């Protein structure tokens, strides 16, 4: 394979170039996730600083990236304060997480780059090897997506970080709710146009505490089984909807929810009703959040809640259940069906998590959703950023009443 064909396969132009990241929060998406059998934590940031110098012809490169610790958000303000405190990330003493990729090499005939370097977290540095997909954005797409001046690349990667490797010891009271190994995903756009100082130092969006809301009343009386209450704490709720396009990752999430359910775990059936306040949906970018709440999108003033009411809930096999029902968004109701993992959480596990003495129930699953089914059009100007079809991920914990 000749050099020209190799560059075409790798998706990068010939010659050495430096690409700067973090010039646009809308095109910077970093997420971190941890799950236990009790709860899930999903956090994001749209802040990153740094650059990568890449030689597209030689297939070599290096990078240096920096994430402000204070920009990390999980959707629950109290949890964020704990995360930034001394036993955890200790943001006051260690304000940044840094990765220095000392050696980057492209796999032959591929867009995959193997990057070896050092990750520094909480003042501790450890070796880290990451496989990243790196592609140059075609000029036509860059113009269509209004990326801006310069040549552009997109870099995506996923890796796992053991907290204990960086001197973070999970307190005894948190072992039930926080696992040691966290999954990190990055989706970054870089440009050869060096950012201004103002762009690089833009302040992070403040965290927003998710408040309780009331689900639509439903007569669950007469249903056999144990009654459960959803949304007792925002830490019990992790909802995310998102999609990936040629010009970025779009994701919105919330930790605000209320609801009720009756489950007969012996017979394998149940009923469920849930409600989410429309104004609680967050993307982490204030300007985009305002747009979502307008009439053309979720129209929060006219439709303050997103609701779900089950029509059939039953065990399929093992802990896998099928949940069918009606989802209502922006006044439009549509049937949905999804597979969920339903797990009983013993009272001693809830007690170990300092969440009371009652047992709980966990629901975890995902399903597709089309915006157009609910009267939400994707404007042509945003078609390169947002798809009509999204994936919805749900992780809920309910307490016995």
């Amino acid at each position: 394979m000749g050099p020209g064909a190799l560059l075409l396969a790798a998706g990068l132009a010939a010659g050495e170039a430096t690409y700067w990241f973090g010039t646009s929060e809308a095109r910077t998406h970093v997420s971190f996730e941890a799950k236990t059998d009790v709860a899930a934590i999903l956090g994001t940031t749209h802040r990153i600083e740094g650059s990568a110098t890449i030689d597209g012809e030689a297939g070599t490169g290096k990078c240096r990236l920096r994430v402000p610790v204070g920009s990390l958000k999980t959707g629950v303000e109290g949890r964020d304060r704990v995360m930034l405190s001394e036993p955890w990330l200790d943001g006051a003493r260690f304000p940044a997480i840094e990765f220095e990729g000392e050696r980057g090499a492209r796999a032959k005939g591929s867009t995959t780059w193997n990057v070896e370097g050092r990750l520094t977290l909480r003042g501790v540095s450890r070796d880290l090897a990451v496989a990243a997909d790196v592609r140059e954005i075609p000029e036509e797409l860059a113009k269509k997506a209004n990326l801006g001046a310069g040549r552009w690349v997109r870099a995506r990667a996923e890796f796992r970080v053991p907290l204990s490797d960086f001197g973070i010891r999970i307190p005894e009271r948190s072992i039930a709710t926080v696992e040691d190994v966290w999954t990190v995903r990055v989706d970054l756009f870089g440009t050869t146009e060096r950012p201004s100082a103002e762009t690089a130092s833009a302040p992070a969006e403040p965290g927003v505490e998710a408040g309780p809301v009331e689900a639509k009343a439903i007569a669950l009386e007469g249903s056999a089984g144990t009654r459960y209450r959803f949304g007792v704490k925002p830490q019990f709720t992790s909802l995310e909807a998102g999609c990936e396009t040629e010009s970025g990752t779009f994701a919105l999430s919330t930790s605000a929810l209320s609801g009720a359910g009756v489950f007969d775990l012996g017979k394998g059936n149940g009923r469920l009703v849930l409600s989410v306040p429309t104004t609680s949906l967050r993307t982490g970018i204030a300007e985009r959040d305002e747009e979502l709440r307008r009439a053309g999108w979720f129209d929060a003033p006219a439709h303050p809640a997103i609701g779900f009411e089950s029509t059939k809930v039953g065990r399929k096999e093992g802990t896998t259940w099928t949940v069918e029902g009606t989802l209502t968004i922006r006044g439009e109701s549509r049937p949905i069906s999804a597979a969920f993992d339903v797990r009983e959480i013993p009272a001693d596990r809830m007690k170990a998590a300092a969440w009371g003495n009652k047992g709980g129930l966990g629901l975890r699953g995902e399903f597709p959703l089309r915006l157009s089914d609910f009267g939400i059009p994707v404007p042509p100007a945003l078609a390169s950023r947002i798809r009509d079809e999204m994936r919805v991920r749900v992780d809920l914990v309910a307490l016995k009443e």
Side-chain angles (χ1 to χ4, degrees):
M1 180 183 289
L6 181 58
L7 289 173
L8 181 62
L12 288 174
E16 185 176 274
T18 296
Y19 297 88
W20 301 89
F21 296 97
T23 60
S24 167
E25 290 190 353
R27 296 182 179 89
T28 302
H29 189 85
V30 180
S31 69
F32 52 97
E33 183 177 21
K35 293 180 180 180
T36 69
D37 61 343
V38 176
I41 297 173
L42 176 64
T44 59
T45 179
H46 296 277
R47 294 279 314 284
I48 203 164
E49 302 160 6
S51 64
T53 299
I54 301 172
D55 189 323
E57 188 168 5
T60 59
K62 57 184 179 180
C63 68
R64 186 164 189 172
L65 301 171
R66 180 181 186 274
V67 174
V69 171
S71 71
L72 304 177
K73 305 296 178 186
T74 68
V76 181
E77 190 175 1
R79 183 166 59 195
D80 292 346
R81 284 195 300 269
V82 173
M83 181 176 64
L84 298 179
S85 67
E86 189 278 330
W88 296 92
L89 297 181
D90 198 359
R93 284 203 300 156
F94 307 105
I97 299 170
E98 297 182 329
F99 175 68
E100 185 162 2
E102 300 159 341
R103 294 171 300 279
R106 183 185 57 229
K108 187 176 180 180
S110 170
T111 58
T112 299
W113 288 67
N114 298 307
V115 184
E116 297 178 357
R118 302 278 287 175
L119 178 67
T120 301
L121 173 64
R122 203 175 180 270
V124 178
S125 296
R126 292 286 183 266
D127 290 340
L128 178 67
V130 178
D133 182 79
V134 183
R135 304 171 189 239
E136 186 163 31
I137 306 297
E139 184 178 355
E140 183 179 348
L141 176 58
K143 288 182 179 179
K144 182 180 178 181
N146 196 28
L147 294 184
R151 298 206 317 269
W152 288 79
V153 294
R154 182 180 188 179
R156 285 174 286 184
E158 178 177 321
F159 54 94
R160 290 163 68 80
V161 177
L163 299 183
S164 55
D165 284 357
F166 297 88
I168 299 175
R169 298 288 182 263
I170 299 175
E172 186 70 28
R173 66 180 181 278
S174 302
I175 288 177
T177 56
V178 183
E179 67 174 352
D180 179 54
V181 180
W182 290 53
T183 299
V184 180
R185 301 178 181 90
V186 298
D187 187 355
L188 311 176
F189 283 72
T191 174
T192 53
E193 190 79 5
R194 185 166 185 156
S196 65
E198 289 77 10
T199 300
S201 60
E205 182 190 13
V208 179
E209 184 71 64
V213 291
E214 289 301 320
K216 184 183 71 172
I218 182 172
L220 292 176
E221 290 74 11
S223 299
T226 303
R227 294 180 63 94
Y228 293 90
R229 183 72 175 169
F230 290 86
V232 178
K233 294 177 179 287
Q235 294 94 326
F236 289 170
T237 302
S238 177
L239 293 175
E240 182 188 42
C243 61
E244 205 173 277
T245 71
E246 296 85 352
S247 58
T249 295
F250 175 86
L252 56 88
S253 61
T254 181
S255 294
L257 172 142
S258 71
V262 174
F263 285 79
D264 189 324
L265 298 179
K267 295 182 178 179
N269 56 50
R271 295 182 66 189
L272 181 66
V273 60
L274 302 170
S275 181
V276 173
T278 308
T279 54
S280 73
L281 300 177
R282 296 286 188 273
T283 66
I285 302 173
E287 184 177 301
R288 183 180 281 176
D289 292 345
E290 284 298 322
E291 187 175 5
L292 287 176
R293 288 190 280 267
R294 293 172 185 163
W297 285 83
F298 290 99
D299 195 3
H303 305 286
I306 295 170
F308 173 78
E309 185 174 333
S310 70
T311 54
K312 182 179 180 181
V313 177
R315 181 186 289 113
K316 184 178 180 181
E317 183 180 5
T319 61
T320 301
W321 289 50
T322 299
V323 177
E324 300 176 6
T326 302
L327 180 65
T328 301
I329 302 176
R330 223 178 80 144
E332 298 282 346
S333 297
R334 295 288 184 271
I336 66 167
S337 176
F340 280 81
D341 178 77
V342 178
R343 62 197 187 279
E344 187 173 18
I345 305 173
D348 60 345
R349 290 289 287 166
M350 300 301 289
K351 186 175 181 179
W355 283 346
N357 298 318
K358 297 180 180 179
L361 191 75
L363 275 73
R364 184 174 286 162
E366 62 179 73
F367 58 90
L369 178 149
R370 288 188 179 276
L371 296 175
S372 56
D373 287 347
F374 299 90
I376 303 175
V378 176
L382 296 178
S384 64
R385 297 191 209 172
I386 303 174
R387 295 192 187 282
D388 180 38
E389 183 171 303
M390 295 190 176
R391 296 295 300 180
V392 180
R393 298 170 60 198
V394 180
D395 202 315
L396 309 177
V397 173
L399 289 182
K400 288 183 179 179
E401 285 192 347

